[in-house]
């Protein structure tokens, strides 16, 4: 579990990584992360696709973004994906 930030009620917002895949693509290897993003009250499924300098973050449906800014979370999850590529 990775702690990201706090929501507007000062609850921890976390990313719980469930599965990682590394399918091959022309010119390299793509990284796909599956997990849950939550704050203890609401959770949403997340899929992060990362390849070279490109990162895409897809969220499932849920009420989490009533408590925390989606753009901030997208940026933070993109950083998580880039850091995981380096390891």
């Amino acid at each position: 579990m990775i702690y990201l930030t706090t929501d507007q009620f000062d609850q921890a917002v976390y990313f719980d990584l469930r599965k990682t895949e590394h399918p091959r693509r022309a010119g390299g290897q793509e990284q796909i992360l599956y997990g849950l993003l939550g704050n203890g009250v609401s959770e949403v499924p997340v899929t992060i696709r990362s390849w070279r300098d490109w990162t895409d973050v897809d969220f499932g449906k849920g009420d989490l973004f009533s408590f925390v800014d989606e753009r901030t979370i997208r940026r933070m999850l993109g950083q998580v994906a880039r850091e995981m590529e380096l390891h």
Side-chain angles (χ1 to χ4, degrees):
M1 188 174 302
I2 301 167
Y3 166 77
L4 297 174
T5 187
T6 54
D7 65 12
Q8 67 186 20
F9 298 112
D10 209 29
Q11 297 173 349
V13 177
Y14 56 85
F15 174 62
D16 187 13
L17 180 64
R18 299 298 172 115
K19 182 178 168 186
T20 303
E21 293 180 6
H22 298 279
R24 297 201 81 34
R25 284 179 71 166
Q29 198 169 26
E30 182 178 23
Q31 175 176 266
I32 304 174
L33 308 173
Y34 300 98
L36 291 174
L37 179 69
N39 66 350
V41 176
S42 179
E43 288 186 332
V44 295
V46 179
T47 302
I48 306 169
R49 294 176 175 273
S50 178
W51 186 64
R52 293 187 179 178
D53 293 335
W54 171 81
T55 303
D56 180 48
V57 180
D58 293 321
F59 298 110
K61 301 230 184 260
D63 293 332
L64 181 65
F65 298 110
S66 300
F67 305 107
V68 67
D69 182 51
E70 182 178 342
R71 291 175 303 196
T72 302
I73 297 299
R74 282 186 187 279
R75 181 180 45 79
M76 290 177 168
L77 288 174
Q79 289 173 340
V80 167
R82 284 189 294 280
E83 288 176 11
M84 291 185 78
E85 273 181 34
L86 299 174
H87 295 286

